């Protein structure tokens, strides 16, 4: 059960490691709150060796994705430029003091046309999805704080667009005048569906519809759970309207956990689109594994 190599998903808030055996199975898994946001560049090696000390007695190879490769991370892994292969031919090696340690960092992807955009971490989930679904062409939706819509074809990222819908929801619900009216949890399917339909058909009315949520509580006594669902519906509906050139008439798959994916599944279903589903963690590990296998063939 000794590891052949270590996979790392190193984000802003957390570090997640998997020990991978010779047959490709996961023989261990660990997490830490020492994400990129809590570390200076010189602290990354210690954070890794502390969490994986016994594993590193058996292997020297680590393949990492995520914000560890950002400008503020351990080492900057320059973006590939779309259109580009989902699995990079080269990775960047992080500087280490330990002679028997090799840390390879997967680069993100940037887009210069038709509009500037970047992703870091999502490219690994995309690579994982395509590794598990060979020859798949279509559009991937990766919902989250910054949702990505990505056109993939022939194992390449052709183009993509990022929407700040998740962050907008958090800011509006927590820091705007709407914070007095939005519940912290709970859900109303009907309210979500109605609101989504409103901005999907008339996205230009979003700003006015947002303030109407506050007014609905003051004037009509609308409950906070209903208003939470309506806020989500309005924002996701506006996003789906803007992203329509991506998903209309395409194969669509959503990579994400149930909580963040559900609004997108419901919204697309209302438009007659039945997206495939894929687990984000499984796709991340699959993508890191694909990068490791490519590393093996080039070293």
């Amino acid at each position: 059960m000794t590891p052949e190599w270590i996979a790392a998903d190193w984000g802003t808030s957390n570090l997640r490691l998997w020990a991978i055996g010779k047959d490709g199975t996961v023989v261990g898994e660990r997490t830490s709150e020492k994400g990129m946001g809590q570390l200076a560049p010189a602290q990354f090696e210690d954070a890794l060796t502390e969490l994986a000390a016994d594993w590193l007695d058996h292997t020297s190879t680590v393949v990492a994705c995520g914000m560890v490769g950002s400008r503020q991370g351990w080492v900057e892994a320059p973006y590939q430029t779309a259109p580009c292969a989902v699995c990079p031919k080269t990775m960047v090696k992080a500087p280490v003091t330990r002679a028997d340690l090799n840390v390879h960092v997967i680069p993100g992807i940037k887009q210069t046309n038709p509009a500037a955009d970047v992703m870091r971490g999502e490219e690994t989930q995309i690579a994982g999805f395509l590794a598990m679904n060979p020859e798949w062409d279509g559009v991937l939706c990766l919902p989250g704080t910054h949702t990505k819509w990505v056109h993939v074809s022939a194992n390449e990222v052709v183009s993509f667009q990022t929407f700040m819908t998740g962050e907008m929801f958090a800011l509006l619900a927590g820091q705007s005048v709407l914070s007095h009216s939005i519940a912290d949890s709970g859900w109303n399917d009907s309210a979500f569906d109605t609101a989504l339909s409103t901005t999907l058909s008339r996205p230009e009315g979003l700003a006015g519809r947002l303030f109407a949520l506050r007014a609905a509580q003051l004037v009509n006594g609308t409950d906070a759970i209903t208003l939470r669902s309506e806020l989500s519906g309005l924002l996701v509906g506006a996003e789906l309207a803007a992203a329509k050139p991506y998903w209309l008439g395409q194969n669509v798959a959503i990579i994400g956990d149930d909580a963040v994916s559900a609004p997108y599944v419901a919204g697309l279903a209302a438009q007659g689109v039945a997206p495939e589903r894929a687990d984000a963690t499984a796709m991340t590990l699959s993508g890191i594994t694909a990068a490791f296998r490519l590393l093996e063939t080039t070293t």
Side-chain angles (χ1 to χ4, degrees):
M1 300 297 286
T2 57
E4 180 186 15
W5 63 284
I6 298 169
D9 179 12
W10 211 324
T12 301
S13 303
N14 297 285
L15 164 62
R16 187 171 189 175
L17 299 180
W18 296 269
I20 312 298
K22 290 185 181 296
D23 60 356
T25 59
V26 175
V27 298
E29 182 177 344
R30 294 172 185 169
T31 60
S32 165
E33 293 184 354
K34 292 185 178 180
M36 180 274 294
Q38 288 77 50
L39 301 172
Q43 296 175 307
F44 279 83
E45 183 176 354
D46 287 343
L48 173 65
T49 55
E50 177 185 330
L51 189 60
D54 55 326
W55 294 348
L56 291 171
D57 290 338
H58 303 282
T59 180
S60 63
T61 303
V62 180
V63 179
C65 72
M67 294 304 291
V68 64
S70 70
R71 190 167 296 174
Q72 296 76 34
W74 190 346
V75 63
E76 185 175 6
Y79 295 107
Q80 298 189 92
T81 302
C84 62
V86 293
C87 213
K89 293 182 179 179
T90 59
M91 289 182 273
V92 174
K93 291 188 70 173
V96 296
T97 59
R98 182 168 167 164
D100 61 346
L101 181 61
N102 295 290
V103 179
H104 305 269
V105 180
I106 299 171
I109 297 176
K110 69 180 179 180
Q111 176 178 273
T112 56
N113 290 300
D117 211 331
V118 294
M119 67 169 75
R120 193 176 290 282
E122 293 91 351
E123 77 293 323
T124 304
Q125 295 181 345
I126 295 166
F129 179 87
L130 293 178
M132 298 180 70
N133 298 273
E135 309 303 323
W136 192 90
D137 281 12
V139 169
L140 295 172
C141 174
L142 297 92
T145 302
H146 300 150
T147 297
K148 309 287 185 183
W149 289 86
V150 187
H151 177 205
V152 296
S153 181
N155 285 318
E156 287 192 344
V157 170
V158 178
S159 67
F160 61 99
Q161 186 170 3
T162 303
F163 292 84
M164 294 178 62
T165 304
E167 185 168 358
M168 290 171 64
F169 180 91
L171 291 170
L172 289 167
Q175 299 184 39
S176 77
V177 67
L178 298 183
S179 64
H180 306 293
S181 305
I182 305 300
D184 292 333
S185 60
W187 197 251
N188 182 320
D189 285 329
S190 177
F192 171 83
D193 292 343
T194 300
L196 182 140
S197 178
T198 297
T199 49
L200 186 54
S201 59
R202 297 286 300 276
E204 71 277 8
L206 174 62
R209 294 301 305 167
L210 289 173
F211 188 78
L213 299 178
R214 175 62 176 158
Q217 185 183 57
L218 296 173
V219 175
N220 301 325
T222 305
D223 68 273
I225 290 177
T226 294
L227 294 174
R228 175 183 178 84
S229 306
E230 289 185 0
L231 174 60
S232 178
L234 291 173
L235 294 174
V236 174
E239 178 182 329
L240 289 179
K244 197 170 186 177
Y246 276 90
W247 55 261
L248 185 64
Q250 295 278 356
N251 293 322
V252 179
I254 297 177
I255 300 174
D257 62 33
D258 290 342
V260 297
S261 297
Y264 292 86
V265 172
L268 289 168
Q271 301 303 304
V273 178
E276 298 179 42
R277 294 290 313 281
D279 177 74
T281 300
M283 296 307 101
T284 297
L285 186 53
S286 174
I288 300 174
T289 300
F292 170 75
R293 288 173 179 162
L294 188 59
L295 177 68
E296 283 188 305
T297 67
T298 56
T299 56

